[in-house]
Amino acid sequence: MDLIDEPIEGLNSPEFTVTEISGAIKRVIEGEFGHVRIRGEVGRVSRPRSGHVYLDLKDDRSVISGVIWKGVAARLDTQPEEGMEVVATGRVTTFPGQSKYQIVIEDIKPAGMGALMALLEKRKKQLAAEGLFDPARKKPIPYLPEIIGVVTSPSGAVIRDILHRLRDRFPRKVLIWPVAVQGAKCAPEVARAIEGCNALTPGGALPRPDLLIVARGGGSVEDLWGFNEEIVARAAAASDIPLISAVGHETDTTLIDYVADKRAPTPTAAAELAVPVRHELAAWLEGQGARMQQLLSNGLTARGQRLRDIARALPRPDSLLDAPRQRLDRAGEKLEPALIAGVQRRRVRLADASGALRPATLRQRIASDRRRLDTLSGRLEPALLRAVSDKRQRYETRAQRFRPATLQRDRAAKAEAFNKLTARLSEAGQRQTRRLRDRLEALDRLLDTLSYKSTLARGYAVVRGDGAVVTNTKDAKKAATLEIEFADGRMTVGGAARPARKKGPDVPPEQGSLL
């Protein structure tokens, strides 16, 4: 049946096979477009073993699939890479096997960096300028953390790989924070997960992790874009917990990789960086213990041998005591004669001292001391009388100064001096008062001379309108009422005159209008 045949009367719409519809669509598309040139950003790029290249061309709203056959791909000067902005030349066709249209690319030329890659590069430069990539701010990874926090999707293969690797190397407690790892929810959920892990209390009911792993499997730039968002990079930089980034495969790089304290090429490698191998650690400890025991044994053996060598160089204990024993014997022989000689010397000194203590000698000494005492006692009474006389004279001399007559003369002299000072002070005050009064009168006369009141007395007047001074006819016409001030008072045009104000602030002549 031809596609343009009219349906038979009485039947529904004509029936076509799937192949017929697919072929018709293919002919329409290929006949309508033919060769076209398309500008867009290269998305996912796949190179299977067949040698063909499959890729996506996209802009901010649409995506079109593309294929480069093996022979054409080998001749291309520019090989397509993810993120490149290119101009592709080819023909648009369909692939009936999957009911989709695509472009068979015959030539491809670079047209600049793609929009996503340009945005990524801009963010990277901004964060680098702020110092978020500085190696000095990165924290060391703990050697053996007690609790490891994993921020990833709970349903993917990533968490299973991490748990399996941790279980094989060194089992640790793992706190899983489930998040979306692609799409619009990815960036805010990952940022909240990092902030939430840092907000946990150490040792609490839900303990705070000692290490964080942010992980995701490989994918295209669009799939990993959530980890290029600024909110995720800043949350990772602000984390107090050391953080390992394990996003994508080894060739995938995101902003969180630059900010993280450590980057792992794969999630499995992140688990290997997080903990050591328990068996290797046990073997190392056992080796270190054996080495320490061997070193201790060798040290004790060497010191024992050295002690034995030194002991052989020492003399026998009996020979060490021979000389002291001989000196003791010689000293014992000299002790008895020395004691006898000492007793004799002390007996002679005692005899000499006892000869000087005879009664006649003592009586002579006492008589001599008594005569000297009598002599001194005779001199004591005159000396005491002279001392008393000198002190009485000094007392009377001082008492003369405190007699009533002396005090009255002193008081009279000081009263006279005070009266003179009072008179001088009063005279000085009067002179200063007269001088200030004369200055005040001169200033008052100057004020009267400079005041605009004297000008009013010569026939001038001040005009005010609506409370403000009027200086021209334009302001006078705008004013609702006019007030005119003369030397003897004020009046309002159209109203009763007000009495002159004797007191009040004077308006300087330059601020009013004198008529």
Side-chain angles (χ1 to χ4, degrees):
M1 177 183 293
D2 196 353
L3 289 177
I4 62 174
D5 287 345
E6 294 293 333
I8 301 175
E9 185 178 356
L11 296 178
N12 292 331
S13 299
E15 296 178 352
F16 305 104
T17 63
V18 174
T19 301
E20 290 173 342
I21 287 293
S22 297
I25 294 173
K26 181 179 180 70
R27 288 192 296 274
V28 170
I29 291 178
E30 290 180 352
E32 181 69 24
F33 291 96
H35 278 76
V36 295
R37 298 177 73 242
I38 301 177
R39 182 188 181 111
E41 180 182 346
V42 179
R44 175 188 56 85
V45 179
S46 176
R47 290 181 171 85
R49 292 184 179 180
S50 61
H52 309 314
V53 178
Y54 297 94
L55 54 85
D56 291 336
L57 292 176
K58 60 185 179 179
D59 56 16
D60 57 343
R61 289 178 292 180
S62 302
V63 179
I64 183 172
S65 299
V67 59
I68 306 175
W69 302 126
K70 178 179 179 180
V72 177
R75 297 194 306 268
L76 290 178
D77 296 332
T78 301
Q79 294 295 326
E81 295 180 3
E82 189 171 356
M84 291 178 57
E85 188 172 359
V86 298
V87 176
T89 304
R91 53 187 179 85
V92 179
T93 183
T94 64
F95 180 50
Q98 294 184 356
S99 298
K100 69 177 184 179
Y101 66 94
Q102 61 186 8
I103 177 173
V104 178
I105 300 174
E106 298 175 356
D107 189 20
I108 191 168
K109 299 292 185 182
M113 186 178 293
L116 289 178
M117 299 305 293
L119 178 60
L120 177 60
E121 191 65 23
K122 180 180 178 181
R123 287 180 182 171
K124 182 178 176 182
K125 291 180 179 179
Q126 177 186 354
L127 297 179
E130 295 180 12
L132 269 64
F133 300 165
D134 187 3
R137 55 160 296 278
K138 296 182 182 295
K139 297 174 284 297
I141 303 301
Y143 180 71
L144 188 60
E146 289 292 333
I147 301 172
I148 301 175
V150 180
V151 178
T152 187
S153 172
S155 59
V158 171
I159 186 61
R160 293 194 298 271
D161 293 343
I162 292 177
L163 294 177
H164 178 70
R165 182 60 65 180
L166 290 176
R167 185 167 55 251
D168 289 345
R169 291 176 66 86
F170 206 119
R172 297 281 86 185
K173 294 180 181 179
V174 178
L175 176 64
I176 302 175
W177 195 300
V179 295
V181 292
Q182 70 182 57
K185 296 182 179 179
C186 174
E189 288 188 5
V190 171
R192 285 196 297 269
I194 296 175
E195 295 170 356
C197 289
N198 280 270
L200 295 176
T201 304
L206 191 62
R208 179 183 179 185
D210 302 317
L211 176 66
L212 279 180
I213 299 177
V214 180
R216 188 208 186 279
S220 63
V221 174
E222 294 80 3
D223 296 337
L224 303 179
W225 190 254
F227 298 91
N228 286 323
E229 295 291 347
E230 186 175 350
I231 184 176
V232 174
R234 293 191 180 278
S239 175
D240 294 330
I241 304 175
L243 188 143
I244 298 178
S245 170
V247 178
H249 296 305
E250 188 168 359
T251 57
D252 299 324
T253 304
T254 57
L255 284 182
I256 194 175
D257 295 331
Y258 296 101
V259 180
D261 300 304
K262 195 76 173 178
R263 178 185 180 267
T266 62
T268 304
E272 295 175 355
L273 292 174
V275 294
V277 179
R278 180 175 54 182
H279 302 298
E280 294 179 357
L281 183 60
W284 181 81
L285 289 175
E286 184 177 355
Q288 293 296 317
R291 182 182 177 187
M292 184 183 298
Q293 185 176 2
Q294 181 65 29
L295 291 175
L296 181 60
S297 177
N298 293 341
L300 292 176
T301 302
R303 284 167 175 76
Q305 182 63 38
R306 181 173 177 78
L307 180 60
R308 288 191 293 272
D309 294 342
I310 294 174
R312 284 195 296 270
L314 293 175
R316 291 179 293 107
D318 293 340
S319 62
L320 293 175
L321 297 177
D322 289 343
R325 186 181 295 113
Q326 187 175 1
R327 287 197 301 272
L328 179 62
D329 293 339
R330 290 182 179 179
E333 293 174 356
K334 295 179 180 179
L335 179 60
E336 183 176 357
L339 290 175
I340 295 173
V343 170
Q344 291 177 352
R345 286 195 300 272
R346 284 167 176 78
R347 183 178 292 114
V348 171
R349 287 200 299 270
L350 177 61
D352 294 340
S354 61
L357 296 177
R358 293 176 182 177
T361 305
L362 292 176
R363 283 195 296 271
Q364 292 176 359
R365 182 70 176 270
I366 291 172
S368 174
D369 291 340
R370 181 177 290 112
R371 287 192 300 271
R372 189 161 57 87
L373 179 61
D374 293 339
T375 303
L376 292 176
S377 62
R379 296 169 55 189
L380 178 61
E381 184 176 359
L384 290 175
L385 292 176
R386 285 195 302 273
V388 170
S389 175
D390 292 341
K391 292 187 179 195
R392 180 181 291 111
Q393 186 176 1
R394 286 198 300 271
Y395 172 74
E396 290 177 354
T397 302
R398 292 181 181 179
Q400 291 290 337
R401 298 169 55 187
F402 295 100
R403 290 181 179 179
T406 304
L407 294 176
Q408 288 178 359
R409 286 194 302 270
D410 187 35
R411 177 178 175 276
K414 290 182 178 180
E416 184 178 358
F418 177 74
N419 291 333
K420 290 181 179 179
L421 289 175
T422 303
R424 291 175 59 190
L425 180 62
S426 176
E427 184 179 354
Q430 290 176 2
R431 285 198 305 270
Q432 187 175 7
T433 302
R434 287 194 300 269
R435 186 168 58 255
L436 293 175
R437 184 182 297 111
D438 295 342
R439 185 179 179 186
L440 181 61
E441 290 175 355
L443 291 175
D444 187 44
R445 289 192 300 270
L446 180 61
L447 178 62
D448 291 340
T449 303
L450 298 178
S451 175
Y452 79 100
K453 295 290 187 180
S454 59
T455 306
L456 293 179
R458 296 200 301 270
Y460 290 89
V462 178
V463 180
R464 297 181 178 87
D466 296 336
V469 175
V470 177
T471 60
N472 52 61
T473 57
K474 183 179 178 181
D475 295 338
K477 290 177 181 180
K478 292 180 180 180
T481 60
L482 294 175
E483 182 186 57
I484 303 175
E485 181 181 359
F486 298 95
D488 58 348
R490 299 185 182 186
M491 66 171 291
T492 303
V493 174
R498 289 186 290 182
R501 292 186 294 181
K502 298 298 183 181
K503 298 180 180 180
D506 293 340
V507 179
E510 60 273 12
Q511 296 182 0
S513 176
L514 300 179
L515 302 178

